[in-house]
Amino acid sequence: MPLFSLDGVSPKVHPDAWIAPTATLIGNVTVEKDASVWYGAVIRADFGPIVIREGANIQDNSVIHSGPEMTEVGRNVTVGHQCLVHDCTVGEQALIGNGSTVLDRAVIGPRAFVAAGSTVTPGTEVPAEMIAMGSPAKKFVELTDSARVWVEHNAAVYQELARRHRGGLEQV
């Protein structure tokens, strides 16, 4: 896995986390237990720290970058495929849908769902257990039953999938 020190600060990855061999972590990045960072993802902490909390998953080709404040991805969060998460806070067990963007100083509440393709603009707060949708994300509705299933179960699915990749992945 490509890990890079910057200015003498190296990423810290818990031994029970899984980092895909093509993911890149740079600088002041912390990845906690049972978290996973998938293929092509880039986590670059050159301005401020980035913390990926226990059980979270950062899916393929997503980018996480920090400004001068800490960027935090909470416990059991899912950041879907091809997302941009920039200088913000994502609360515990939230789900950032595929292709979404979450920008500077935004706060995604616990168990909130950012719908696929949405853009959460700077400083926006998405309340807990709400769905944010649109580009820009201006429409907030309560979690539907189907969205609740994704929020409640996706992190566990990816924790198991990471164990499968850890034990069964072979380069050919």
Side-chain angles (χ1 to χ4, degrees):
M1 77 184 107
L3 302 178
F4 297 94
S5 177
L6 180 66
D7 300 329
V9 180
S10 298
K12 296 177 218 61
V13 177
H14 190 281
D16 292 331
W18 183 75
I19 310 298
T22 58
T24 304
L25 281 61
I26 302 162
N28 193 1
V29 175
T30 300
V31 181
E32 293 183 350
K33 180 180 180 181
D34 294 329
S36 57
V37 181
W38 291 81
Y39 304 94
V42 175
I43 303 177
R44 180 166 55 94
D46 47 9
F47 288 119
I50 297 172
V51 178
I52 310 301
R53 296 285 181 208
E54 182 174 339
N57 63 91
I58 311 304
Q59 296 179 10
D60 309 70
N61 296 316
S62 286
V63 173
I64 299 179
H65 187 238
S66 190
E69 302 298 320
M70 179 172 82
T71 296
E72 181 175 10
V73 175
R75 285 186 80 219
N76 294 319
V77 162
T78 292
V79 174
H81 307 287
Q82 295 185 324
C83 292
L84 171 61
V85 174
H86 194 272
D87 199 26
C88 60
T89 301
V90 182
E92 183 170 337
Q93 206 170 2
L95 193 149
I96 310 301
N98 294 343
S100 293
T101 299
V102 181
L103 294 171
D104 305 51
R105 300 173 321 283
V107 176
I108 309 301
R111 298 174 49 82
F113 189 121
V114 176
S118 295
T119 300
V120 178
T121 55
T124 299
E125 292 190 27
V126 177
E129 299 200 13
M130 298 293 280
I131 301 172
M133 58 187 86
S135 188
K138 290 187 176 185
K139 183 176 180 183
F140 298 163
V141 299
E142 290 185 24
L143 283 179
T144 61
D145 289 341
S146 62
R148 188 174 306 282
V149 168
W150 283 99
V151 166
E152 290 175 354
H153 299 288
N154 201 68
V157 168
Y158 265 81
Q159 288 164 20
E160 179 57 36
L161 188 57
R163 286 189 282 279
R164 189 172 144 217
H165 279 250
R166 179 194 304 271
L169 185 67
E170 292 183 36
Q171 188 169 2
V172 295

